[in-house]
Structure formats: structure tokens, C-alpha cells
Amino acid sequence: MAKVLILSGAGLSAESGISTFRDSGGLWEEYDVSVVCNYDSLQKNEALTIEFYDKRRAELSSKEANRAHKVLAELKKNYGEDIAIITQNVDNLFEKAGLSNGEVIHLHGFMTELRCQSCEEVFEIGYEKQKNFHDGFCPSCSSKLRPNIVFFGEQAPLYEKLSQHINDCQLLVVLGTSGEVVGVNEMARYVGNSILNNLEPSNAIEDSLFSKVLYMRATEAIDEIAETIEEFLS
Ligand code: APR
């Protein structure tokens, strides 16, 4: 497993123009999570939920990777398996920065994919609306498709991979996440050698547990973060 674990959240993509969830003006100020991102959203509000993801998927087409994505992607290319890139983000900006799907773990799913609600096959649909892909039905088994996103209250199978990487890593980098969903305090306590980069303190994060704390934009912090990682791996 990797020596360095880089865990990111919505703050990493904020400077690419993708709104975070909990910052002021964030996504959850405009939409009610319980309506469009809950385990029962597709049963209770199918049309609104699909519309919400169709809109976010379409928006992605004009968003570009920022310098923080590009620096992290370059580190992953240079150091391979020594670095694990795990993100809570469902956008494709790491992929636009040059990483393949296999080089990034998307804990909460991936916006440009649909998943069959029965056979679970996953389909890459780019920025299209769900209904424009085989009328929203699985080409393999004809069941209904859904966004390949982990909703609140649903299983997040890739958390298993996250805990494996936490066990093995010797340097933890937490970037652009409030820690409200994926708790990072225990990770920092366990790993011991860690960097936190956010815009400002978060109620869910005990920043005294981190070896280095950078309260600034990710694109400003990324050079110091990259330098620390390269020193550690050299
Ligand atoms: N650079 C660095 N950090 C930033 C920037 C930036 N330019 N802009 C915002 N941040 C930080 C904020 O300080 C905040 O701590 O990013 C964090 C964003 O927190 P959230 O909006 O809570 O996003 P995130 O932690 O990714 O949410 C986790 O919650 O809604 C669910 O599934 C969704 O994956 C998401 C999860």
C-alpha cells in the first residue's frame, strides 16, 4: 500500500468553480440534501434527483482542473504506488489533470457515470442527461439506471480501501474537506505525520493533531505540500 495518502474534498475543486457543500453559498444552501442526495431520494423524488445530477454533470463539461489537481496528478505520475489519491469528490478534474480512473479512488462515486439499479453495471456517459443514455435503462438487463453516486445512508464500499491505505501510510495529507462526513481526526492521530490544508478551521477537525496546518487556498498551499511529499519520498 502507499507511503503517502492524499485525501481531498470539495475544497480542492472550489477554485475550478465547483461549489463546495458547506461553505457559505455552497451546494447544500441551494438544494435540500434529504431531497436529492438521500438513500430514498430516487424512490421519493426521482425526477428532481435525476435533474439535480443531470445539471451538475452538464456543468462539469466547462470546469477545468486547477493547479492543485495538476501538481497532485504529476506527483502520482512520478511516484506511482507510493502515493494514494483518494477523494470525496465526484467530479472528473483529477482525470482532466491527466490521471486515469484507476489512479484515483472516488469514495462517493463519479458524476459522469450511471449505474444499473439491478445488475450494478457502470456506464460512462460523459456530460449527457441520464435519459439520453438508452432512455435511462440498462442496455444489459433493461432495469432502471441511476447516478453512480453514493447517497447519504447508502453503503460506500470504497471506504474499505481508505482504511487499508490509512493503516499503511506514513504521511497523511488532508486537503479541502471539512471532515464532516469522512472523519480525519482519528486518521491524523494514527498516522502521526500529517498535513491539513483548508481555507479555515472546521468544527469537525482538531487541527492540533496535524504536523502542519495550512489555512489558505489549495493552489497556494500545493507547492509546500508537494515539497513535503517529495522530501518524504526521496
Ligand atoms: N482551498 C482549500 N480548501 C478549501 C477551499 C480552497 N480553495 N475552498 C474551501 N475549502 C475547504 C473549506 O475550508 C472546507 O473545510 O474545503 C472544505 C469544504 O468542506 P465541505 O463543503 O464540507 O466539503 P467536503 O468536506 O468535501 O464534504 C464531504 O459531504 O456532502 C457530502 O458527499 C459530499 O463528499 C461530500 C462530503
Side-chain angles (χ1 to χ4, degrees):
M1 287 302 208
K3 293 183 187 141
V4 179
L5 167 56
I6 302 170
L7 174 68
S8 59
L12 174 65
S13 298
E15 291 166 85
S16 297
I18 297 179
S19 74
T20 63
F21 292 90
R22 296 171 183 82
D23 290 335
S24 59
L27 213 51
W28 298 142
E29 275 180 13
E30 293 164 59
Y31 287 87
D32 180 342
V33 180
S34 64
V35 171
V36 293
C37 193
N38 234 24
Y39 68 93
D40 59 357
S41 291
L42 285 167
Q43 286 71 39
K44 289 187 176 164
N45 324 291
E46 184 182 33
L48 190 62
T49 301
I50 290 174
E51 181 195 291
F52 173 68
Y53 287 98
D54 283 349
K55 272 189 196 161
R56 287 181 65 198
R57 190 177 305 115
E59 274 168 12
L60 264 188
S61 62
S62 63
K63 302 293 186 257
E64 294 304 324
N66 63 51
R67 216 169 82 73
H69 293 106
K70 291 174 184 167
V71 168
L72 294 177
E74 196 182 334
L75 285 170
K76 176 65 181 173
K77 291 289 183 198
N78 295 340
Y79 293 94
E81 295 306 309
D82 278 344
I83 294 181
I85 294 200
I86 300 184
T87 186
Q88 298 170 83
N89 299 341
V90 295
D91 64 51
N92 61 349
L93 297 185
F94 271 127
E95 289 76 6
K96 285 188 174 177
L99 292 187
S100 68
N101 223 335
E103 293 175 305
V104 197
I105 295 175
H106 288 272
L107 293 174
H108 294 159
F110 200 49
M111 184 65 79
T112 59
E113 292 175 342
L114 298 179
R115 187 176 81 240
C116 176
Q117 297 191 42
S118 301
C119 72
E120 306 244 310
E121 190 172 346
V122 173
F123 303 94
E124 171 60 47
I125 64 161
Y127 307 111
E128 284 302 315
K129 288 183 189 304
Q130 179 166 317
K131 70 173 183 320
N132 294 347
F133 180 81
H134 295 275
D135 286 333
F137 291 91
C138 177
S140 303
C141 77
S142 307
S143 300
K144 271 189 180 180
L145 296 169
R146 57 162 285 172
N148 190 25
I149 301 287
V150 179
F151 289 176
F152 283 103
E154 290 187 324
Q155 292 286 325
L158 291 172
Y159 278 29
E160 177 51 36
K161 281 223 185 284
L162 173 61
S163 48
Q164 286 165 10
H165 279 295
I166 294 161
N167 281 335
D168 295 342
C169 84
Q170 297 146 34
L171 172 61
L172 169 69
V173 179
V174 172
L175 199 162
T177 179
S178 62
E180 294 285 352
V181 173
V182 175
V184 296
N185 293 328
E186 278 318 302
M187 292 182 202
R189 201 175 269 123
Y190 178 81
V191 176
N193 186 11
S194 54
I195 305 174
L196 172 67
N197 166 225
N198 269 334
L199 268 193
E200 76 280 318
S202 161
N203 298 331
I205 299 180
E206 262 179 75
D207 55 19
S208 59
L209 293 169
F210 287 80
S211 323
K212 183 183 284 191
V213 178
L214 303 167
Y215 285 135
M216 60 184 76
R217 293 201 309 271
T219 52
E220 288 172 75
I222 199 63
D223 290 329
E224 184 171 347
I225 291 170
E227 212 174 289
T228 310
I229 291 171
E230 291 190 304
E231 264 163 41
F232 180 78
L233 290 175
S234 57

